[in-house]
């Protein structure tokens, strides 16, 4: 593993949804996107940043309970396949969730802030604006609250009272070679993570760009707090990364196709992002 201020970065695919359409990815219609009704699968990730001394985890995914609840509430229309739990995926690269000391929560949406209890030793790094957003007046509107789970948000509030949340107000250095960046757009307080690797500065966009095409085509995602902020966020991602190829979107299945598996045992689950693309 790397040392000093240069890190290995892994994407852990813990779930996948095949039956999904393009109109769920872009603010568009049949006139502006003739392919709007074609299938566009989505993957769900958490990420690990590691070197010889320590590991940082980015986001904590969701569990089977959340999957079943949302499946029922959608009338069986939302049916991802859970590949493994986020903790099980992390174990494939030798990261024990129970021992991780620092977890970045990019935002509090259900697929990024569940399974918090699997990280009992962790301090959670969260933007102050995200907590304000998730507990404020916007959540009275189902358009904004639908992507949140009340249980996840209240669990994070409990962790605040336990002294286990490190709030950030804008950009911050988490460790040498790892910085947090308030991006906004998708939610009021979404943050992305910039990591120094042997191939340059990799940016874990999380949901600042769900798919490669969102940022590449300046095409906003439909679940959004601020469209103008999302477009500005795309530009911010490009300014932070060594190249557009160094921006890692939050949900694109192509990540697993473009980067090599961390090991034979992790094929289809863990991809290495700090090495050159293979696809």
């Amino acid at each position: 593993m790397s040392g000093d201020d240069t890190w290995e970065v892994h994407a852990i695919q813990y779930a996948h949804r095949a039956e999904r359409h393009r109109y769920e990815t872009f603010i568009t219609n049949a006139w502006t996107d003739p392919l709007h009704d074609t299938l566009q699968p989505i993957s769900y990730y958490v990420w690990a940043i590691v070197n010889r001394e320590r590991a940082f985890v980015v986001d904590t995914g969701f569990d089977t309970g959340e999957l079943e609840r949302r499946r029922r509430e959608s009338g069986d229309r939302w049916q991802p396949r859970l590949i493994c739990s986020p903790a099980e995926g992390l174990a494939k690269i030798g990261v024990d969730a129970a021992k991780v000391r620092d977890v970045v929560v990019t935002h509090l949406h259900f697929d990024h802030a569940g399974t918090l209890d699997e990280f009992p030793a962790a301090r959670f790094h969260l933007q102050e604006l995200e907590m304000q957003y998730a507990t404020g007046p916007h959540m009275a509107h189902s358009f904004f609250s639908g992507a949140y789970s009340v249980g996840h948000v209240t669990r994070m509030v409990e962790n605040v009272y336990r002294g286990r949340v490190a709030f950030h107000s804008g950009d911050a250095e988490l460790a040498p070679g790892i910085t947090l960046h308030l991006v906004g757009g998708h939610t009021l307080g979404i943050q992305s993570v910039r990591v120094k690797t042997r191939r340059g500065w990799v940016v874990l966009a999380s949901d600042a760009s769900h798919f490669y095409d969102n940022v590449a085509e300046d095409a906003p995602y439909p679940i959004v707090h601020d469209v103008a902020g999302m477009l500005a966020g795309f530009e911010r991602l490009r300014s932070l990364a060594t190249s557009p190829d160094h921006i890692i979107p939050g949900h694109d299945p192509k990540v697993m196709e473009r980067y090599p598996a961390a090991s034979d045992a992790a094929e289809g689950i863990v991809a290495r992002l700090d090495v050159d693309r293979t696809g």
Side-chain angles (χ1 to χ4, degrees), residues 179-197:
T179 51
L180 307 179
H181 300 273
L182 176 63
V183 178
H186 179 55
T187 72
L188 181 62
I190 187 172
Q191 60 185 340
S192 299
V193 185
R194 186 182 193 231
V195 187
K196 184 179 179 183
T197 74

Side-chain angles (χ1 to χ4, degrees), residues 80-93:
R81 175 176 63 93
L82 197 64
I83 298 169
C84 61
S85 73
E88 290 168 343
L90 289 165
K92 290 186 177 295
I93 54 170

Side-chain angles (χ1 to χ4, degrees), residues 161-209:
Y161 277 78
R162 293 171 182 151
R164 294 183 55 202
V165 177
F167 283 110
H168 299 276
S169 181
D171 298 351
E173 183 180 66
L174 195 60
I178 304 175
T179 51
L180 307 179
H181 300 273
L182 176 63
V183 178
H186 179 55
T187 72
L188 181 62
I190 187 172
Q191 60 185 340
S192 299
V193 185
R194 186 182 193 231
V195 187
K196 184 179 179 183
T197 74
R198 61 183 179 176
R199 75 178 183 103
W201 288 100
V202 168
V203 174
L204 301 176
S206 183
D207 290 3
S209 183

Side-chain angles (χ1 to χ4, degrees), residues 124-245:
F124 299 105
H125 295 268
L126 184 70
Q127 287 288 328
E128 184 177 349
L129 284 174
E130 183 64 12
M131 183 61 85
Q132 292 179 19
Y133 183 60
T135 57
H138 284 86
M139 296 304 110
H141 302 283
S142 61
F143 179 85
F144 297 116
S145 65
Y148 289 88
S149 168
V150 173
H152 298 164
V153 176
T154 55
R155 179 64 70 185
M156 188 62 81
V157 172
E158 290 172 356
N159 282 314
V160 172
Y161 277 78
R162 293 171 182 151
R164 294 183 55 202
V165 177
F167 283 110
H168 299 276
S169 181
D171 298 351
E173 183 180 66
L174 195 60
I178 304 175
T179 51
L180 307 179
H181 300 273
L182 176 63
V183 178
H186 179 55
T187 72
L188 181 62
I190 187 172
Q191 60 185 340
S192 299
V193 185
R194 186 182 193 231
V195 187
K196 184 179 179 183
T197 74
R198 61 183 179 176
R199 75 178 183 103
W201 288 100
V202 168
V203 174
L204 301 176
S206 183
D207 290 3
S209 183
H210 286 66
F211 287 77
Y212 282 108
D213 286 348
N214 291 119
V215 63
E217 299 179 11
D218 278 334
Y221 192 80
I223 300 175
V224 58
H225 164 257
D226 177 0
V227 173
M230 183 175 283
L231 289 167
F234 293 156
E235 186 60 37
R236 186 81 195 282
L237 295 176
R238 289 189 283 265
S239 73
L240 291 169
T242 292
S243 78
D245 190 50

Side-chain angles (χ1 to χ4, degrees), residues 1 8 35 38 41 123 149 152 173 185 204 212 263 266:
M1 293 185 180
E8 291 182 8
L35 301 177
T38 58
R123 175 176 53 172
S149 168
H152 298 164
E173 183 180 66
L204 301 176
Y212 282 108
S263 67

